Amino acid sequence: MSLLSNNIIPGNHGRIFGTNATEPADLKIIKKSILTLVGIKDVVINNHTFPREITVYSTKIITIEQVESKVKSVGFHAIPKESLDV
């Protein structure tokens, strides 16, 4: 476990999550929920992959658990994908 694997680090890379939501309306609800976290700069939804992917960008260190909790609160799941070696 490291700083990179347990958190979203501020910057241009963001963190990619897979989700079980498929409908555009559900993805918008997830995005709106994640944006309520303090420090989240942007949430980008990729509708062209399966499972759908959500990229979360932040202005401060945000834990993976915080994002997972927000997504669970609206009835879906978010699973972080592995970090890229940078």
Side-chain angles (χ1 to χ4, degrees):
M1 302 292 170
S2 72
L3 180 67
L4 291 176
S5 64
N6 295 328
N7 298 290
I8 301 170
I9 306 300
N12 296 331
H13 298 290
R15 184 67 184 253
I16 300 172
F17 292 82
T19 183
N20 61 332
T22 57
E23 298 298 319
D26 295 334
L27 293 165
K28 285 182 182 180
I29 291 169
I30 290 171
K31 179 178 180 174
K32 191 175 184 180
S33 178
I34 294 171
L35 285 170
T36 62
L37 287 169
V38 174
I40 297 296
K41 179 171 47 173
D42 195 14
V43 176
V44 177
I45 299 168
N46 183 353
N47 287 315
H48 303 293
T49 60
F50 185 83
R52 301 297 187 255
E53 292 180 342
I54 300 166
T55 306
V56 180
Y57 299 92
S58 69
T59 57
K60 68 178 201 168
I61 294 178
I62 304 289
T63 66
I64 297 298
E65 290 81 19
Q66 288 176 296
V67 174
E68 290 173 332
S69 176
K70 281 294 184 180
V71 176
K72 283 180 187 176
S73 74
V74 293
F76 297 99
H77 296 283
I79 300 170
K81 294 199 169 192
E82 292 299 317
S83 311
L84 298 175
D85 292 331
V86 181

